[in-house]
Amino acid sequence: MEPDRQLAEAIEAVRAAHFDPAGQSCRYPAFAVSRERGRLAAYLANLDSLDFKRLRIPAQTSFWINVFNAGVLRDAPELEFAAGPRDIQAFFEQPRLKIGGHAYSLDEVEHGLLRGNVAKHGRLRAPMSRDDPRLAFMPIAFDERMHFALYSAARSSPALHAFDGGDLDKQLEEATAEYLLRTVRVEQDGALVVMPKLLAWYAKDFGGERGALEFALARLDEAAVEAVDRRKGRVKLQYAEFDWALNRR
């Protein structure tokens, strides 16, 4: 079996055994000592010897999303001891993955590879230097919907999913619509749109603030979109704070 498919199956097994049906919260104490976590950790460990030539090009994006989600899952019990935002940021910034002989932090996977090596919110520098050999493993195409596929083990995180390169477009769209329907609110008869903080942090990935709004509205129900349209651009945007508390079940 291809290594990306093994990782996807391990993530799905964790979700089935330890998460609520929506994939939004986890029983971490049981997961921490579970067979599913051991299996996930074993597959991640095997990726240290991965030959990237074996990885199918269409599977590059799904592979790195699954690597990120698996890394967060395997080490999420550490977040039980996070004292605040600095500890949480450190969790994502420290190297914790070995893939194909290279070490990666979760931020390097997300912002270095999946976002095209650009700075994360609140940072000025890209996570990798221009001559970093790991950039050779960056997916060919950027897809802004990856923001809604990455699991951060927080209450405001997108739900946990596993992704398959053969069906990635459909899966990304489903994950995106699911998250936006859950987090975007149209209020005051269309005069106010409350959006998730992810769309503020990474507005440039969606073509700016108005582009992010249009991206979100395209995935809401027709009544909400019509209410906003009636305002003819006179719409106020508000962003909900991101809740970094561990999403315990």
Side-chain angles (χ1 to χ4, degrees), residues 190-245:
L192 174 66
V193 180
V194 181
M195 301 205 296
K197 199 69 170 181
L198 284 174
L199 289 175
W201 288 338
Y202 302 114
K204 289 184 179 179
D205 291 357
F206 300 89
E209 189 173 65
R210 302 306 296 187
L213 174 61
E214 291 174 3
F215 180 91
L217 290 176
R219 290 157 177 86
L220 300 188
D221 63 79
E222 189 174 331
V225 175
E226 288 179 352
V228 174
D229 284 346
R230 286 196 296 269
R231 293 289 171 171
K232 299 185 183 302
R234 297 187 299 275
V235 177
K236 180 181 178 182
L237 297 182
Q238 191 176 98
Y239 296 96
E241 287 302 314
F242 195 94
D243 187 347
W244 281 106

Side-chain angles (χ1 to χ4, degrees), residues 15 22-24 69 148-151 157-161 178-179 182:
R15 174 176 162 133
Q24 294 172 15
N69 290 348
F148 312 104
L150 298 179
Y151 176 74
S157 170
L160 175 68
H161 294 286
E178 172 189 288
Y179 186 72
R182 175 161 59 94

Side-chain angles (χ1 to χ4, degrees), residues 112-232:
L113 299 180
L114 288 168
R115 293 187 62 231
N117 200 33
V118 295
K120 69 181 289 186
H121 68 93
R123 298 290 186 268
L124 298 177
R125 294 183 180 179
M128 298 180 184
S129 63
R130 293 182 179 179
D131 60 351
D132 194 311
R134 296 173 297 174
L135 292 176
F137 311 126
M138 183 188 298
I140 293 173
F142 167 73
D143 194 317
E144 66 273 14
R145 295 175 299 178
M146 47 75 61
H147 287 294
F148 312 104
L150 298 179
Y151 176 74
S152 61
R155 289 177 182 169
S156 292
S157 170
L160 175 68
H161 294 286
F163 294 86
D164 185 334
D167 207 16
L168 183 61
D169 182 69
K170 178 183 177 183
Q171 291 173 338
L172 283 177
E173 187 56 37
E174 289 175 348
T176 298
E178 172 189 288
Y179 186 72
L180 293 176
L181 285 167
R182 175 161 59 94
T183 59
V184 178
R185 304 194 309 274
V186 174
E187 301 180 352
Q188 300 176 15
D189 197 26
L192 174 66
V193 180
V194 181
M195 301 205 296
K197 199 69 170 181
L198 284 174
L199 289 175
W201 288 338
Y202 302 114
K204 289 184 179 179
D205 291 357
F206 300 89
E209 189 173 65
R210 302 306 296 187
L213 174 61
E214 291 174 3
F215 180 91
L217 290 176
R219 290 157 177 86
L220 300 188
D221 63 79
E222 189 174 331
V225 175
E226 288 179 352
V228 174
D229 284 346
R230 286 196 296 269
R231 293 289 171 171
K232 299 185 183 302

